[in-house]
Amino acid sequence: MNSKRLVVAMAMMAGLSMAAGVRADDSVPAPVPNWSDPTTGMDFVWIPPGCFQMGSGDGDAAEQPVHKVCVKGFFLGKYEVTQRQFNRLVDGHIGSYRGRSLPVDQVSWDDAMAMAQELSARSKAKLRLPTEAEWEYACRAGGVHDAYCGSGSLGAFAWGSKAPGGLHAVGDLRPNAWGLHDMSGNVREWTLDCWHDNYQGAPADGSAWLAGGDCAKRVERGGSWKGATSNLRAAKRSRTGAALQVNYIGFRLVREP
């Protein structure tokens, strides 16, 4: 075989290898597998590192200014924490609706933090609430989604706008592009961050924003079954007292890699 034919043959073989999923460059990291917590059975999806534009230029004043945030990779709960999972660690909790596969509600920020700490101790992994930036980055799938935490008809992936029957079982609707369910609607979700009136001075590294804020109130995201459709937007921010328990707030957890 002459040299020209050899080069062509090698190029064809490289193309076939790439098509078959064989990495030609070993420096490219392999995909990170998802993780399941052995104590609760809670499933976690790997959220790859990346940068995105956080906030909304045409939303509420609290969503401005739009700013670039770069986030490290982390695992995020595929679903909101369910009543069954919560009650494996916290006995006797009774929410406004009863159902093992329903998201746990009427949990305060303090309750959510306590569960994360207990689960961390049992599973020997670091579990916590997501930061506000991590939550929005995952909701938008790194920038794939814009207004909401999914694409297509809103009713295909979000329980909201006074959904009939109140809470719904997690995972009944279509996930977003990264396989996360109910990021828009069902229950609002606690984050680590203290409340700030806008994004002036917000961290650009995806960390929790604590300094200078009202830490008696914590940020929740995602909207709920009880609120208006506009509350389901990816950029929408809400705040509630950390000790309060209401029937439209729950949470999901992060596992640090």
Side-chain angles (χ1 to χ4, degrees), residues 185-231:
N186 222 1
V187 288
R188 294 184 192 175
E189 300 176 15
W190 289 115
T191 70
L192 280 174
D193 298 50
C194 301
W195 175 256
H196 295 75
D197 289 336
N198 55 53
Y199 285 136
Q200 295 288 349
D205 62 356
S207 60
W209 194 10
L210 306 176
D214 180 358
C215 291
K217 296 182 177 67
R218 298 287 172 156
V219 179
E220 338 95 41
R221 292 303 214 96
S224 75
W225 64 271
K226 198 171 184 177
T229 299
S230 60
N231 292 338

Side-chain angles (χ1 to χ4, degrees), residues 16-85:
L16 289 171
S17 295
M18 292 298 287
V22 177
R23 289 186 288 117
D25 181 359
D26 286 337
S27 68
V28 177
V32 177
N34 294 337
W35 182 76
S36 181
D37 169 61
T39 301
T40 61
M42 201 179 299
D43 294 321
F44 289 79
V45 175
W46 172 247
I47 306 300
C51 301
F52 77 112
Q53 295 296 317
M54 184 172 179
S56 172
D58 56 4
D60 301 335
E63 301 164 17
Q64 301 172 24
V66 177
H67 56 294
K68 181 180 179 180
V69 178
C70 293
V71 177
K72 297 178 181 178
F74 59 99
F75 292 93
L76 182 62
K78 184 175 183 178
Y79 310 105
E80 294 159 336
V81 173
T82 65
Q83 293 181 21
R84 176 183 61 83
Q85 293 162 344

Side-chain angles (χ1 to χ4, degrees), residues 102-179:
L102 296 178
V104 65
D105 69 325
Q106 292 194 336
V107 285
S108 67
W109 185 87
D110 298 324
D111 294 333
M113 290 289 287
M115 182 192 179
Q117 292 168 1
E118 176 66 21
L119 188 55
S120 293
R122 295 197 191 192
S123 66
K124 304 297 188 288
K126 174 62 176 175
L127 292 117
R128 57 172 173 79
L129 291 173
T131 70
E132 190 178 2
E134 288 172 337
W135 190 96
E136 186 170 328
Y137 174 70
C139 154
R140 295 184 184 275
V144 173
H145 303 309
D146 185 15
Y148 300 97
C149 306
S151 57
S153 169
L154 185 61
F157 61 85
W159 296 115
S161 191
K162 296 182 172 54
L167 295 182
H168 291 263
V170 301
D172 275 359
L173 298 181
R174 191 173 66 206
N176 77 352
W178 280 352

